[in-house]
Amino acid sequence: MDKDIKKKSTTPRGKSNAKKIPLDKIFQAITFTACLGVILLLGFIIFKLFMESSLSVDKFGFKFITSMEWDPVNGEFGAGAYIFGTIVSSLIAILIATPVSVGIALYLTEIAPPWLSTPVGFLVELLAAIPSVIYGLWGIFVFVPFIRQYIQKPIGDLFGWIPLFSGPPLGIGMLSAGLILAIMIIPIITAISRDIISSVPTLQREGAMALGATRWEVIKYATLPFAKSGILGGIILGMGRALGETMAVTMVIGNRPEIKASLFAPAHSMAAVIANEFTEATDDIYLSALIEVGLLLFLVTFIMNGLARFFIWSVARGPKGGIRQ
Amino acid sequence: MSELQSQYAKRYKSRKFINYIMITIMLLSTLLALIPLFSILTHIGISGIKALNLQFITNLPAPVGEPGGGMGNALVGTLVLVSLAALMGIPVGVLTAIYLSEYQQVGLFPSTVRFVADSLLGIPSIVVGIFVYLIIVLPMKSFSALAGGVALGIMLIPIVIRGTEGMLKMVPDSLREAALALGMRKWRVIVSIVLPTAIKGIITTIMLGIARVAGETAPLLLTAFGNHFWSTKLDQPIGALPLQIFNYAISPFDEWHNQAWAGSLLLILVVLILSIIARLATRGNKLN
């Protein structure tokens, strides 16, 4: 008896456990499966989009991108007007959001004291938490009337002869869509720029200050050159978000598939046409054309995300060359 | 000498002047970004509170001209959809994050997974809607709550992955080593040491993610579709708060516009409360 007990107690506990179910392996396998599942999910999305749009890709080919004709009755589809609307509204958004966001990021990281930058930074982040349908609602009833009254009317009166600002002040249209998109992507670009700017080594700033630079000169000669490719990454990420934004855009852009020189004119966008027409698409070719619009949208945002990650990563990795190499 | 000095003094003045101008511009851009935030919040507060009452939360939508309509069904619908999304997104997301943080941090496979997660995060939500329409709505021949939940779940997965991975990485290695040294197996270390240590942060991430998908509208247009009646059936179309807001907002009736504002107040309360709690919690819980 005694011998038995002694023998049992000297056996390492791990050994007797190891002969049971290999829980360690099973747990690792489960987590690994989850990873595989995520990869397969993206693969399946890409596969499905290509598959289901093939009808339209085969029939219209490259003309799909350039043609303006979107005629469900006769089965002729070209997404030119939608692509134009998406690109122009996103460009307006980027042109406005970039300087504002970089300004905010610089102010919060370089100028403002912590007791101010923390709550203000929090408020800017809150902009990202507001659902896009609420931006749309606010856009329709508050923002668009404001734009019509205080931006489009005065500009139209003064510069109406320039094609860019011609046409009646409808409020709804390309300009409003671009401006709302700008508001929506400001928190994204700001967040990334803040991260990047605060990762600039303090030595850089101190070096510039020691040479007698003013705060702006520190930013101009030490901070921004170091952070610029990361900020570029943030801008591209914001652009990707703007391209795919659906609800707010469809509520204020006017949903008219036309290409006009005027920023005041109603337009349409790729995401908006999918949202508006997808559930009404009855024949296969119509559905397939809409899926091709989705595929294009997906591919563009996919590439932009890759680019953005690369730029952000290239800053986060730190500088190349110099004495540290 | 004095001429040189005065020249420098002049240049210094202009440099200082530019400095002040630029700082003012930065300050103004910050204020500029806050204007829409306050405008949105005040308008929702003022217009929303007028139509928001108990009936609004419990009643079905009423036809135009009939008073007392509400968004009760949409509220229930959003709850169902978000639960489905959580059921799908949280396990997949957390398990993936565990693999990335505990089993293989560097290498081709984990970088691929991270890249895929980032790509999923960047997919326009309407494209997720198309995908789910193709794999669920078409085969089932009906819009459904299930499809809506899956769409939101797909959007939740990458948010949970990236957030949870970050939180797990903040758990100090010494904790893992101590547990291993005491003879714990690796899965036990993960389940009873690493996860409980990071749980606050993980819940925060999940809450932020849920707040984000709860406000999504675009994918639901193609999947859950909306429903004006009470429904919790998974194979039937279901209403959702953002969908209802959208439909009311683009309608021509003032009464419905008021309801849209009230719905927005409800939605934004949910979303903001979730994200404010989450953000305050993370601030006090930074492990490193």
Side-chain angles (χ1 to χ4, degrees), chain A residues 23-74:
Chain A
L23 281 169
D24 247 347
K25 286 248 168 66
I26 293 176
F27 191 72
Q28 186 175 359
I30 293 173
T31 57
F32 183 75
T33 316
C35 289
L36 270 187
V38 173
I39 295 179
L40 288 179
L41 175 66
L42 184 69
F44 196 35
I45 292 177
I46 296 172
F47 170 77
K48 263 288 176 192
L49 288 175
F50 269 104
M51 272 288 289
E52 304 288 332
S53 63
S54 62
L55 198 64
S56 156
V57 174
D58 290 346
K59 189 168 174 200
F60 305 116
F62 192 70
K63 217 182 70 196
F64 188 79
I65 297 174
T66 53
S67 160
M68 308 294 157
E69 198 179 349
W70 185 269
D71 186 353
V73 181
N74 295 318

Side-chain angles (χ1 to χ4, degrees), chain A residues 141, chain B residues 64 247-257:
Chain A
F141 296 109
Chain B
V64 187
N247 287 332
Y248 278 4
I250 58 170
S251 76
F253 311 112
D254 277 345
E255 222 172 296
W256 280 8
H257 295 162

